Amino acid sequence: QKRVTRSVLAVPLFSGNAVIGAISVQSYKAGEYDEEDEALLEMLTAYAGNAIENARLFDQTRRHAEELGVLASVSSALRVSITRDEIIPVILDHLINLLNADNAALSTLDPATGENVIEQARGEWAKAVGLRLKAGEGLIGLMAETYMPYESSAVTQEKNLGFLDSTSRPAA
């Protein structure tokens, strides 16, 4: 025999004045909840909303502190780095750690040819160092043309964009 929910009690979950969700309970018994249950759930939901907001603020503060720590570390490392070849790896390594990335690359525009050149890279992208991309080619070319950042959670599904060039894609 299939059990059917007969009683429901739901209360909005607030963070300040904004509703961020809800907490609900269900019962297979009819008439299970009354005003006292509602008051109790409202009190618990208020506590939960405050706890969730405090956790969010703590995470935000922790992340900000980590970012400041990385910036201080990069700044310190850059002060002792003299050449471009010493500076770029420091930047890429810190970006990988800060953003929990698997790969990072830095490309620069070759003014003589108009091509974007992968100057240095980390992770799987390290094999692309020296790759020259024509103007408008791949993701790097797109950003060079539009002057806009690019973010995607489904880059392998984007048409005309490779991970570094217009023909290569990471293994699925």
Side-chain angles (χ1 to χ4, degrees), residues 58-90:
F58 178 78
D59 286 344
Q60 182 180 20
T61 301
R62 182 188 48 78
R63 172 113 172 133
H64 185 65
E66 287 174 1
E67 290 169 356
L68 290 175
V70 168
L71 289 174
S73 176
V74 168
S75 177
S76 176
L78 292 177
R79 279 194 299 271
V80 298
S81 300
I82 298 170
T83 68
R84 180 182 181 93
D85 288 339
E86 292 174 334
I87 291 171
I88 294 171
V90 169

Side-chain angles (χ1 to χ4, degrees), residues 14-171:
F14 288 94
S15 175
N17 292 327
V19 175
I20 61 169
I23 294 182
S24 65
V25 293
Q26 300 88 27
S27 176
Y28 298 122
K29 297 178 188 174
E32 184 65 22
Y33 307 112
D34 59 21
E35 289 179 9
E36 285 182 23
D37 295 320
E38 183 177 332
L40 178 61
L41 187 57
E42 283 179 331
M43 183 179 66
L44 293 172
T45 301
Y47 177 77
N50 287 331
I52 290 168
E53 177 63 10
N54 288 342
R56 184 191 69 78
L57 290 172
F58 178 78
D59 286 344
Q60 182 180 20
T61 301
R62 182 188 48 78
R63 172 113 172 133
H64 185 65
E66 287 174 1
E67 290 169 356
L68 290 175
V70 168
L71 289 174
S73 176
V74 168
S75 177
S76 176
L78 292 177
R79 279 194 299 271
V80 298
S81 300
I82 298 170
T83 68
R84 180 182 181 93
D85 288 339
E86 292 174 334
I87 291 171
I88 294 171
V90 169
I91 293 169
L92 293 178
D93 290 341
H94 280 85
L95 283 174
I96 283 177
N97 289 332
L98 177 64
L99 299 174
N100 297 317
D102 297 310
N103 307 294
L106 184 135
S107 68
T108 55
L109 179 66
D110 180 342
T113 65
E115 295 173 315
N116 293 296
V117 181
I118 307 299
E119 196 168 317
Q120 290 197 32
R122 292 288 189 265
E124 288 292 314
W125 289 357
K127 62 187 174 195
V129 170
L131 182 68
R132 301 180 77 81
L133 304 171
K134 296 176 185 146
E137 186 177 20
L139 178 57
I140 294 166
L142 173 70
M143 289 184 297
E145 284 183 343
T146 64
Y147 298 92
M148 297 295 294
Y150 174 84
E151 186 279 327
S152 174
S153 295
V155 73
T156 57
Q157 297 171 9
E158 300 280 344
K159 294 186 184 222
N160 302 321
L161 291 180
F163 78 108
L164 284 175
D165 63 35
S166 61
T167 58
S168 300
R169 289 208 180 266

